[in-house]
Each structure stands twice: as C-alpha cells, then as structure tokens.
Amino acid sequence: MSKSVERVRRAAHAAGLDIEIRQMADSTHTAEDAAIQCGVTVAQIVKSLIFQGADTDELYLFLVSGPRKLDLDKASRLTGEKLHRADPKHVRKQTGFAIGGVSPLGHLIDIKAYADESLMQFDVVWAAAGGTNFVFPSEPMVLVEAAKAQIADITG
C-alpha cells in the first residue's frame, strides 16, 4: 500500500472515522470509473477538486458529487478570491496526492475545504483514498466533518 493511502488511513483514524479502504481491480480515476467499480451511481462518488486562489496562491479543496460541476463564481465568493485549477505538480507537492487520487483526508497541508450540499442526500458516498484505484465508503456527514469541510451550494 502506498504512503499516500496509509496517510489517508491515519488521518481518518485521527478524525475518529473508521474506514475500510478498498483497492479496486480497475482505475477509479474518473467519477464514472469509480461508480462502476463501487457499484453505485455517479452521484455517490465524491470528486476531490483542488483549486488555487488567484491572489493568495492558497489551495482549496472542493468535495463535489460525481456528475456535478464546481461553479467557480460560487466557490470564489466562498473563498473571497478568484480561483483557477491548480497545477497538478503543485497539487502533488502541497497535498501529497496525484490528481485522480486526491482524498478528502490526509493532506500534507491544512487546506480549507467545502462540500457540495447535494452529497448529503445519500446514505453512503465513496471517496478517493490516495491512489487511482483506492476508495472508501462513508456516510456523507461523517466524511464532511472528518475533512473539516463547510457544506455549501458550490455547484452549478
């Protein structure tokens, strides 16, 4: 198991979240791939999107339901600055995760997080666990609390 997957496991434990990390046979790189591997709807997949502040260069984490798109205007109002997609190398260096395996938990840095309110409609959602084919299920509210995320209307 990779260091990043172990970091997710430790972060979950430290947050009081008992997770079962599963290694899937095929990639869970996209929400559609993950839904197939997990046997759930695409809406139950949590995309962990990293954006960067245009003024501060601060990284922000947005937990978004699989088929939804982050609304940059809404997200910018929440963060107080314009946002742009963070460079994958910068994401890897700062968070410890490669794009496609970014988890809601276990970042190398403290990161402000926001969660798509639509995730709360499900009993269980699935999130990346630090690798492109590692995932874990969680109750949405428990995951949001462990990630220290603010629930908000962030999608369009």
Side-chain angles (χ1 to χ4, degrees):
M1 194 161 302
S2 75
K3 290 179 186 177
S4 59
V5 174
E6 266 311 307
R7 197 171 61 252
V8 171
R9 183 186 313 280
R10 287 192 309 274
H13 181 75
L17 180 59
D18 184 27
I19 62 172
E20 177 189 343
I21 295 177
R22 300 182 190 174
Q23 183 175 8
M24 298 302 187
D26 290 316
S27 173
T28 56
H29 184 77
T30 68
E32 292 78 13
D33 292 343
I36 291 167
Q37 290 297 306
C38 298
V40 298
T41 68
V42 176
Q44 288 175 270
I45 301 301
V46 179
K47 296 187 296 192
S48 296
L49 307 176
I50 304 283
F51 280 78
Q52 188 168 350
D55 299 325
T56 64
D57 287 334
E58 184 173 355
L59 295 181
Y60 299 94
L61 171 65
F62 296 93
L63 306 176
V64 177
S65 175
R68 293 183 173 249
K69 302 286 185 216
L70 181 67
D71 182 314
L72 282 178
D73 289 333
K74 291 178 182 179
S76 292
R77 282 194 295 277
L78 277 172
T79 64
E81 64 179 316
K82 289 194 181 263
L83 300 170
H84 59 85
R85 274 214 186 261
D87 175 73
K89 289 179 184 176
H90 186 63
V91 170
R92 174 75 172 214
K93 181 179 178 186
Q94 294 295 309
T95 69
F97 298 117
I99 300 297
V102 175
S103 177
L105 309 170
H107 296 260
L108 295 177
I109 60 170
D110 285 332
I111 189 165
K112 289 181 185 168
Y114 301 89
D116 177 3
E117 62 189 6
S118 75
L119 291 169
M120 299 304 114
Q121 69 183 301
F122 301 104
D123 293 332
V124 174
V125 293
W126 289 76
T132 57
N133 64 335
F134 289 90
V135 293
F136 66 92
S138 177
E139 293 176 31
M141 185 55 77
V142 173
L143 178 63
V144 167
E145 289 172 357
K148 299 177 184 166
Q150 174 186 332
I151 299 171
D153 175 13
I154 57 173
T155 59

